[in-house]
Amino acid sequence: MHADSLSAVQCETTHGVEGEGCITCGDVAVPLRVLKVDQDRGLALCEDERGRHETVEIALIAPVEQGQSVLVHAGTAIAGLPAEAFAPEGAQR
Amino acid sequence: MKYVDEFRDPELGRALSGEILGLVEPGHHYKLMEVCGGHTHSIYKFGIDDLLPENVELVHGPGCPVCVIPMGRVDDGIALAHQPGVIFTCFGDMLRIPGSNGSLLDAKAEGADIRMVYSPLDALRIAKENPDRDVVFFAIGFETTAPSTALTLKRAKAEGVTNFFCMCNHVTIVPPLRALLDSPDLRLDGFIGPGHVSTVVGARPFEFIPADYGKPIVVAGFEPLDVLQAVHQILKQLAEGRCEVENQYTRVVPYEGNLRALEVMSEVFELRPHFEWRGLGFISHSGLKLSDAYAELDAELRWDVPGIRVADPKACQCGEVLKGVIKPFECKVFGTACTPERPIGTCMVSSEGACAAYYNYGRFAREREVV
């Protein structure tokens, strides 16, 4: 993928302002699914369970693959998760 | 969602609650500290304390990084935000923390260019979009957040961004735990260890708690059954006369932590000789600053900051709350002069703060049914 396509993505998520606590300040992380990976720049475009997109640093857990689930805190993936850990809203559980 | 639904199963919760009841010794009062603000939030959101026997008390620890920021650091941040040409960026919860003369939100109202970001990467993006302005990122958080700041600083340096600076307020988890354990006014039986901090540092750094202080610690996740299981594991250790580090959150926390994260942190940061914590005072080697290799990105070297120590308001008892000596509702100003809308203390500001959790979930007094 083109290197600039990830940097153009704005952080669309509103985690932390929906009454679930502040993910950036607290010891809280959220599972996201990887949509696209830019291994060279150490970034991945991810989506949360509501389909909102966020660009995430992946250097700490690289290599990351498309479709993988990752645990993200303050814009950085801090751990990989089993693939079945993530399910979009409304999906079969 | 997988790994969420099964950790919120009411049947399992009730069964675990029953097992916990069988582990406690009647007449003994158990005090367990949940270190992390995220756990405090879960406990009150899900009513976990109502599932525990009356003689098991959960005490809230200093694990909310916003809550432990002293007023002087807020004042320093505001001073930086007022520097000509500066765009000051920080996480949302920081905006309303009271300094000695108002908050960052007040400074924004007075004209300072202060912007909320969700990650350090967002702050770097603002710097790239505004090459004629200096962008300061107010970095805060424990080891969960510090790698994120470190990676962003590495990225800024590698990409030659010269208008991005960091005011570093990152803190480390072990020194305050040691300070609490050394505190004479607090008797604890065990700890629920921080889940996502441990994703980075691992469970190994907590080995001093059983080794030096003879107390069990169980690193735990944030779903209700995670917390209940951690309480069960701690009480089981106590019942069996053991004290160990146990990892309940194995689905995310490796015992050794994330070695890459630790590596990047040691490259970008170094320990400060001491750092002030709200309510706990100065604690040696508990705060991080930028290493010499990253000195050109250090906002505290780029500008003069006042660096004055400011005493907390007399009415505020955040210190005692952070140490677990009193419950939030025992504070003189809780829910009256100090509310989330008009906070006096930091614990009422942050959504991870113990006072905010008590206030938001209606825990104005300890009224429980006997289990």
Side-chain angles (χ1 to χ4, degrees), chain B residues 19-53:
Chain B
E19 284 186 34
I20 286 170
L21 190 59
L23 285 171
V24 296
E25 202 179 295
H28 181 88
H29 188 80
Y30 297 84
K31 261 181 142 175
L32 313 181
M33 176 175 274
E34 85 272 4
V35 174
C36 172
H39 283 139
T40 307
H41 193 79
S42 289
I43 286 162
Y44 292 105
K45 179 178 176 185
F46 297 108
I48 294 168
D49 65 333
D50 290 335
L51 291 172
L52 299 178

mmCIF file of all heavy atoms in Angstrom, chain B residues 19-53:
data_model
loop_
_atom_site.group_PDB
_atom_site.id
_atom_site.type_symbol
_atom_site.label_atom_id
_atom_site.label_comp_id
_atom_site.label_asym_id
_atom_site.label_seq_id
_atom_site.Cartn_x
_atom_site.Cartn_y
_atom_site.Cartn_z
ATOM 1 N N GLU B 19 -17.573 -19.375 46.088
ATOM 2 C CA GLU B 19 -16.263 -19.960 46.436
ATOM 3 C C GLU B 19 -15.446 -18.991 47.285
ATOM 4 O O GLU B 19 -14.733 -19.395 48.203
ATOM 5 C CB GLU B 19 -15.493 -20.311 45.161
ATOM 6 C CG GLU B 19 -15.997 -21.574 44.492
ATOM 7 C CD GLU B 19 -15.123 -21.976 43.316
ATOM 8 O OE1 GLU B 19 -13.900 -21.756 43.374
ATOM 9 O OE2 GLU B 19 -15.683 -22.482 42.328
ATOM 10 N N ILE B 20 -15.537 -17.700 46.954
ATOM 11 C CA ILE B 20 -14.806 -16.683 47.726
ATOM 12 C C ILE B 20 -15.279 -16.699 49.179
ATOM 13 O O ILE B 20 -14.475 -16.631 50.113
ATOM 14 C CB ILE B 20 -14.986 -15.284 47.076
ATOM 15 C CG1 ILE B 20 -14.153 -15.209 45.801
ATOM 16 C CG2 ILE B 20 -14.599 -14.164 48.047
ATOM 17 C CD1 ILE B 20 -14.415 -13.983 44.948
ATOM 18 N N LEU B 21 -16.591 -16.817 49.354
ATOM 19 C CA LEU B 21 -17.164 -16.851 50.704
ATOM 20 C C LEU B 21 -16.564 -17.998 51.521
ATOM 21 O O LEU B 21 -16.309 -17.859 52.719
ATOM 22 C CB LEU B 21 -18.687 -17.003 50.593
ATOM 23 C CG LEU B 21 -19.512 -16.816 51.861
ATOM 24 C CD1 LEU B 21 -19.294 -15.432 52.458
ATOM 25 C CD2 LEU B 21 -20.985 -17.016 51.556
ATOM 26 N N GLY B 22 -16.309 -19.116 50.841
ATOM 27 C CA GLY B 22 -15.748 -20.266 51.535
ATOM 28 C C GLY B 22 -14.274 -20.104 51.894
ATOM 29 O O GLY B 22 -13.739 -20.889 52.669
ATOM 30 N N LEU B 23 -13.634 -19.104 51.323
ATOM 31 C CA LEU B 23 -12.199 -18.931 51.573
ATOM 32 C C LEU B 23 -11.901 -17.983 52.739
ATOM 33 O O LEU B 23 -10.793 -17.968 53.260
ATOM 34 C CB LEU B 23 -11.510 -18.377 50.312
ATOM 35 C CG LEU B 23 -11.295 -19.348 49.153
ATOM 36 C CD1 LEU B 23 -10.809 -18.598 47.925
ATOM 37 C CD2 LEU B 23 -10.295 -20.439 49.535
ATOM 38 N N VAL B 24 -12.888 -17.163 53.104
ATOM 39 C CA VAL B 24 -12.585 -16.154 54.126
ATOM 40 C C VAL B 24 -12.800 -16.702 55.526
ATOM 41 O O VAL B 24 -13.669 -17.536 55.762
ATOM 42 C CB VAL B 24 -13.420 -14.855 53.933
ATOM 43 C CG1 VAL B 24 -13.078 -14.180 52.636
ATOM 44 C CG2 VAL B 24 -14.911 -15.142 54.026
ATOM 45 N N GLU B 25 -11.981 -16.187 56.405
ATOM 46 C CA GLU B 25 -12.051 -16.608 57.799
ATOM 47 C C GLU B 25 -12.968 -15.631 58.535
ATOM 48 O O GLU B 25 -12.690 -14.423 58.532
ATOM 49 C CB GLU B 25 -10.623 -16.505 58.363
ATOM 50 C CG GLU B 25 -10.341 -17.344 59.565
ATOM 51 C CD GLU B 25 -8.885 -17.144 59.977
ATOM 52 O OE1 GLU B 25 -7.984 -17.516 59.193
ATOM 53 O OE2 GLU B 25 -8.672 -16.578 61.047
ATOM 54 N N PRO B 26 -14.039 -16.091 59.136
ATOM 55 C CA PRO B 26 -14.923 -15.161 59.846
ATOM 56 C C PRO B 26 -14.141 -14.418 60.943
ATOM 57 O O PRO B 26 -13.289 -14.996 61.600
ATOM 58 C CB PRO B 26 -15.989 -16.072 60.474
ATOM 59 C CG PRO B 26 -15.910 -17.351 59.721
ATOM 60 C CD PRO B 26 -14.501 -17.488 59.247
ATOM 61 N N GLY B 27 -14.430 -13.145 61.075
ATOM 62 C CA GLY B 27 -13.744 -12.368 62.117
ATOM 63 C C GLY B 27 -12.480 -11.696 61.627
ATOM 64 O O GLY B 27 -11.941 -10.812 62.290
ATOM 65 N N HIS B 28 -11.981 -12.114 60.479
ATOM 66 C CA HIS B 28 -10.787 -11.464 59.934
ATOM 67 C C HIS B 28 -11.219 -10.463 58.866
ATOM 68 O O HIS B 28 -12.030 -10.795 58.005
ATOM 69 C CB HIS B 28 -9.848 -12.504 59.332
ATOM 70 C CG HIS B 28 -8.575 -11.920 58.778
ATOM 71 N ND1 HIS B 28 -7.461 -11.727 59.560
ATOM 72 C CD2 HIS B 28 -8.257 -11.458 57.546
ATOM 73 C CE1 HIS B 28 -6.508 -11.171 58.814
ATOM 74 N NE2 HIS B 28 -6.971 -10.996 57.591
ATOM 75 N N HIS B 29 -10.706 -9.264 58.938
ATOM 76 C CA HIS B 29 -11.049 -8.254 57.934
ATOM 77 C C HIS B 29 -9.940 -8.215 56.877
ATOM 78 O O HIS B 29 -8.785 -7.964 57.193
ATOM 79 C CB HIS B 29 -11.199 -6.883 58.596
ATOM 80 C CG HIS B 29 -11.727 -5.845 57.652
ATOM 81 N ND1 HIS B 29 -13.062 -5.734 57.348
ATOM 82 C CD2 HIS B 29 -11.094 -4.896 56.917
ATOM 83 C CE1 HIS B 29 -13.237 -4.749 56.473
ATOM 84 N NE2 HIS B 29 -12.057 -4.229 56.198
ATOM 85 N N TYR B 30 -10.309 -8.486 55.631
ATOM 86 C CA TYR B 30 -9.327 -8.531 54.545
ATOM 87 C C TYR B 30 -9.334 -7.204 53.790
ATOM 88 O O TYR B 30 -10.400 -6.739 53.382
ATOM 89 C CB TYR B 30 -9.655 -9.647 53.554
ATOM 90 C CG TYR B 30 -9.609 -11.031 54.150
ATOM 91 C CD1 TYR B 30 -10.720 -11.546 54.820
ATOM 92 C CD2 TYR B 30 -8.480 -11.821 54.041
ATOM 93 C CE1 TYR B 30 -10.696 -12.817 55.367
ATOM 94 C CE2 TYR B 30 -8.452 -13.105 54.583
ATOM 95 C CZ TYR B 30 -9.568 -13.595 55.245
ATOM 96 O OH TYR B 30 -9.536 -14.867 55.788
ATOM 97 N N LYS B 31 -8.145 -6.637 53.598
ATOM 98 C CA LYS B 31 -8.041 -5.394 52.825
ATOM 99 C C LYS B 31 -7.188 -5.683 51.591
ATOM 100 O O LYS B 31 -6.003 -5.977 51.711
ATOM 101 C CB LYS B 31 -7.320 -4.320 53.655
ATOM 102 C CG LYS B 31 -8.253 -3.335 54.329
ATOM 103 C CD LYS B 31 -7.447 -2.308 55.102
ATOM 104 C CE LYS B 31 -8.076 -0.945 54.985
ATOM 105 N NZ LYS B 31 -7.416 0.065 55.790
ATOM 106 N N LEU B 32 -7.817 -5.634 50.430
ATOM 107 C CA LEU B 32 -7.095 -5.880 49.182
ATOM 108 C C LEU B 32 -7.065 -4.596 48.371
ATOM 109 O O LEU B 32 -8.099 -3.939 48.219
ATOM 110 C CB LEU B 32 -7.786 -6.989 48.368
ATOM 111 C CG LEU B 32 -8.190 -8.267 49.113
ATOM 112 C CD1 LEU B 32 -8.822 -9.257 48.143
ATOM 113 C CD2 LEU B 32 -6.995 -8.894 49.807
ATOM 114 N N MET B 33 -5.899 -4.246 47.853
ATOM 115 C CA MET B 33 -5.812 -3.017 47.059
ATOM 116 C C MET B 33 -5.811 -3.334 45.577
ATOM 117 O O MET B 33 -4.993 -4.133 45.105
ATOM 118 C CB MET B 33 -4.539 -2.235 47.405
ATOM 119 C CG MET B 33 -4.359 -0.994 46.517
ATOM 120 S SD MET B 33 -2.955 0.027 46.980
ATOM 121 C CE MET B 33 -3.697 1.051 48.236
ATOM 122 N N GLU B 34 -6.737 -2.702 44.839
ATOM 123 C CA GLU B 34 -6.626 -2.759 43.387
ATOM 124 C C GLU B 34 -5.787 -1.549 42.997
ATOM 125 O O GLU B 34 -6.112 -0.406 43.310
ATOM 126 C CB GLU B 34 -7.986 -2.833 42.695
ATOM 127 C CG GLU B 34 -8.722 -1.555 42.424
ATOM 128 C CD GLU B 34 -9.606 -1.132 43.605
ATOM 129 O OE1 GLU B 34 -9.571 -1.793 44.650
ATOM 130 O OE2 GLU B 34 -10.312 -0.119 43.487
ATOM 131 N N VAL B 35 -4.660 -1.825 42.378
ATOM 132 C CA VAL B 35 -3.672 -0.785 42.117
ATOM 133 C C VAL B 35 -4.160 0.177 41.039
ATOM 134 O O VAL B 35 -3.896 1.369 41.076
ATOM 135 C CB VAL B 35 -2.335 -1.434 41.688
ATOM 136 C CG1 VAL B 35 -1.323 -0.390 41.266
ATOM 137 C CG2 VAL B 35 -1.791 -2.294 42.812
ATOM 138 N N CYS B 36 -4.930 -0.377 40.116
ATOM 139 C CA CYS B 36 -5.189 0.341 38.885
ATOM 140 C C CYS B 36 -6.566 1.017 38.875
ATOM 141 O O CYS B 36 -7.559 0.432 39.320
ATOM 142 C CB CYS B 36 -5.114 -0.702 37.771
ATOM 143 S SG CYS B 36 -5.614 -0.099 36.218
ATOM 144 N N GLY B 37 -6.610 2.236 38.366
ATOM 145 C CA GLY B 37 -7.874 2.959 38.255
ATOM 146 C C GLY B 37 -8.876 2.239 37.371
ATOM 147 O O GLY B 37 -10.084 2.335 37.581
ATOM 148 N N GLY B 38 -8.392 1.518 36.377
ATOM 149 C CA GLY B 38 -9.272 0.757 35.497
ATOM 150 C C GLY B 38 -10.033 -0.317 36.272
ATOM 151 O O GLY B 38 -11.202 -0.584 36.006
ATOM 152 N N HIS B 39 -9.374 -0.922 37.254
ATOM 153 C CA HIS B 39 -10.048 -1.909 38.097
ATOM 154 C C HIS B 39 -11.114 -1.236 38.963
ATOM 155 O O HIS B 39 -12.212 -1.765 39.132
ATOM 156 C CB HIS B 39 -9.032 -2.636 38.984
ATOM 157 C CG HIS B 39 -8.243 -3.671 38.237
ATOM 158 N ND1 HIS B 39 -6.896 -3.864 38.422
ATOM 159 C CD2 HIS B 39 -8.606 -4.556 37.286
ATOM 160 C CE1 HIS B 39 -6.471 -4.838 37.624
ATOM 161 N NE2 HIS B 39 -7.487 -5.263 36.926
ATOM 162 N N THR B 40 -10.768 -0.069 39.523
ATOM 163 C CA THR B 40 -11.737 0.662 40.349
ATOM 164 C C THR B 40 -13.011 0.907 39.541
ATOM 165 O O THR B 40 -14.128 0.694 40.012
ATOM 166 C CB THR B 40 -11.136 2.022 40.786
ATOM 167 O OG1 THR B 40 -9.871 1.790 41.398
ATOM 168 C CG2 THR B 40 -12.055 2.750 41.761
ATOM 169 N N HIS B 41 -12.806 1.342 38.309
ATOM 170 C CA HIS B 41 -13.918 1.623 37.415
ATOM 171 C C HIS B 41 -14.768 0.358 37.214
ATOM 172 O O HIS B 41 -15.991 0.397 37.325
ATOM 173 C CB HIS B 41 -13.337 2.105 36.089
ATOM 174 C CG HIS B 41 -14.332 2.715 35.168
ATOM 175 N ND1 HIS B 41 -14.792 3.996 35.315
ATOM 176 C CD2 HIS B 41 -14.971 2.206 34.098
ATOM 177 C CE1 HIS B 41 -15.670 4.251 34.361
ATOM 178 N NE2 HIS B 41 -15.790 3.178 33.601
ATOM 179 N N SER B 42 -14.115 -0.778 36.928
ATOM 180 C CA SER B 42 -14.833 -2.047 36.714
ATOM 181 C C SER B 42 -15.598 -2.466 37.960
ATOM 182 O O SER B 42 -16.740 -2.930 37.883
ATOM 183 C CB SER B 42 -13.858 -3.178 36.374
ATOM 184 O OG SER B 42 -13.343 -3.004 35.109
ATOM 185 N N ILE B 43 -14.969 -2.319 39.113
ATOM 186 C CA ILE B 43 -15.579 -2.773 40.371
ATOM 187 C C ILE B 43 -16.917 -2.077 40.596
ATOM 188 O O ILE B 43 -17.906 -2.707 40.978
ATOM 189 C CB ILE B 43 -14.603 -2.532 41.550
ATOM 190 C CG1 ILE B 43 -13.469 -3.555 41.485
ATOM 191 C CG2 ILE B 43 -15.316 -2.599 42.896
ATOM 192 C CD1 ILE B 43 -12.251 -3.192 42.295
ATOM 193 N N TYR B 44 -16.965 -0.779 40.317
ATOM 194 C CA TYR B 44 -18.210 -0.055 40.577
ATOM 195 C C TYR B 44 -19.166 -0.124 39.399
ATOM 196 O O TYR B 44 -20.377 -0.107 39.586
ATOM 197 C CB TYR B 44 -17.905 1.373 41.039
ATOM 198 C CG TYR B 44 -17.269 1.261 42.381
ATOM 199 C CD1 TYR B 44 -15.909 1.442 42.557
ATOM 200 C CD2 TYR B 44 -18.023 0.801 43.453
ATOM 201 C CE1 TYR B 44 -15.315 1.217 43.777
ATOM 202 C CE2 TYR B 44 -17.438 0.560 44.675
ATOM 203 C CZ TYR B 44 -16.091 0.780 44.836
ATOM 204 O OH TYR B 44 -15.513 0.518 46.043
ATOM 205 N N LYS B 45 -18.639 -0.226 38.213
ATOM 206 C CA LYS B 45 -19.521 -0.366 37.055
ATOM 207 C C LYS B 45 -20.326 -1.669 37.148
ATOM 208 O O LYS B 45 -21.507 -1.711 36.847
ATOM 209 C CB LYS B 45 -18.683 -0.355 35.775
ATOM 210 C CG LYS B 45 -19.512 -0.513 34.507
ATOM 211 C CD LYS B 45 -18.634 -0.452 33.275
ATOM 212 C CE LYS B 45 -19.465 -0.711 32.024
ATOM 213 N NZ LYS B 45 -18.639 -0.786 30.825
ATOM 214 N N PHE B 46 -19.638 -2.740 37.573
ATOM 215 C CA PHE B 46 -20.288 -4.051 37.601
ATOM 216 C C PHE B 46 -20.766 -4.459 39.001
ATOM 217 O O PHE B 46 -21.277 -5.562 39.179
ATOM 218 C CB PHE B 46 -19.330 -5.115 37.050
ATOM 219 C CG PHE B 46 -18.957 -4.897 35.607
ATOM 220 C CD1 PHE B 46 -17.694 -4.460 35.239
ATOM 221 C CD2 PHE B 46 -19.893 -5.116 34.601
ATOM 222 C CE1 PHE B 46 -17.363 -4.249 33.906
ATOM 223 C CE2 PHE B 46 -19.567 -4.907 33.272
ATOM 224 C CZ PHE B 46 -18.302 -4.476 32.922
ATOM 225 N N GLY B 47 -20.551 -3.594 39.986
ATOM 226 C CA GLY B 47 -21.017 -3.913 41.345
ATOM 227 C C GLY B 47 -20.300 -5.098 41.954
ATOM 228 O O GLY B 47 -20.880 -5.873 42.705
ATOM 229 N N ILE B 48 -19.021 -5.239 41.640
ATOM 230 C CA ILE B 48 -18.273 -6.420 42.096
ATOM 231 C C ILE B 48 -18.182 -6.471 43.619
ATOM 232 O O ILE B 48 -18.255 -7.539 44.221
ATOM 233 C CB ILE B 48 -16.862 -6.436 41.462
ATOM 234 C CG1 ILE B 48 -16.998 -6.632 39.948
ATOM 235 C CG2 ILE B 48 -15.987 -7.526 42.055
ATOM 236 C CD1 ILE B 48 -15.746 -6.389 39.166
ATOM 237 N N ASP B 49 -18.047 -5.310 44.252
ATOM 238 C CA ASP B 49 -17.886 -5.338 45.717
ATOM 239 C C ASP B 49 -19.133 -5.877 46.417
ATOM 240 O O ASP B 49 -19.063 -6.405 47.510
ATOM 241 C CB ASP B 49 -17.467 -3.971 46.264
ATOM 242 C CG ASP B 49 -18.533 -2.912 46.068
ATOM 243 O OD1 ASP B 49 -19.326 -3.046 45.116
ATOM 244 O OD2 ASP B 49 -18.572 -1.952 46.856
ATOM 245 N N ASP B 50 -20.290 -5.789 45.747
ATOM 246 C CA ASP B 50 -21.517 -6.339 46.337
ATOM 247 C C ASP B 50 -21.524 -7.863 46.302
ATOM 248 O O ASP B 50 -22.344 -8.496 46.961
ATOM 249 C CB ASP B 50 -22.746 -5.803 45.594
ATOM 250 C CG ASP B 50 -22.971 -4.327 45.873
ATOM 251 O OD1 ASP B 50 -22.515 -3.859 46.940
ATOM 252 O OD2 ASP B 50 -23.577 -3.646 45.039
ATOM 253 N N LEU B 51 -20.658 -8.450 45.507
ATOM 254 C CA LEU B 51 -20.585 -9.914 45.426
ATOM 255 C C LEU B 51 -19.568 -10.486 46.418
ATOM 256 O O LEU B 51 -19.381 -11.694 46.489
ATOM 257 C CB LEU B 51 -20.179 -10.340 44.008
ATOM 258 C CG LEU B 51 -21.209 -10.089 42.907
ATOM 259 C CD1 LEU B 51 -20.609 -10.367 41.540
ATOM 260 C CD2 LEU B 51 -22.438 -10.959 43.126
ATOM 261 N N LEU B 52 -18.902 -9.589 47.149
ATOM 262 C CA LEU B 52 -17.856 -10.053 48.067
ATOM 263 C C LEU B 52 -18.400 -10.137 49.491
ATOM 264 O O LEU B 52 -19.326 -9.412 49.855
ATOM 265 C CB LEU B 52 -16.664 -9.082 48.029
ATOM 266 C CG LEU B 52 -15.967 -8.941 46.672
ATOM 267 C CD1 LEU B 52 -14.847 -7.917 46.765
ATOM 268 C CD2 LEU B 52 -15.420 -10.284 46.200
ATOM 269 N N PRO B 53 -17.813 -11.014 50.304
ATOM 270 C CA PRO B 53 -18.223 -11.068 51.708
ATOM 271 C C PRO B 53 -17.975 -9.725 52.387
ATOM 272 O O PRO B 53 -17.088 -8.969 51.971
ATOM 273 C CB PRO B 53 -17.300 -12.151 52.299
ATOM 274 C CG PRO B 53 -16.775 -12.914 51.143
ATOM 275 C CD PRO B 53 -16.759 -11.993 49.980
#
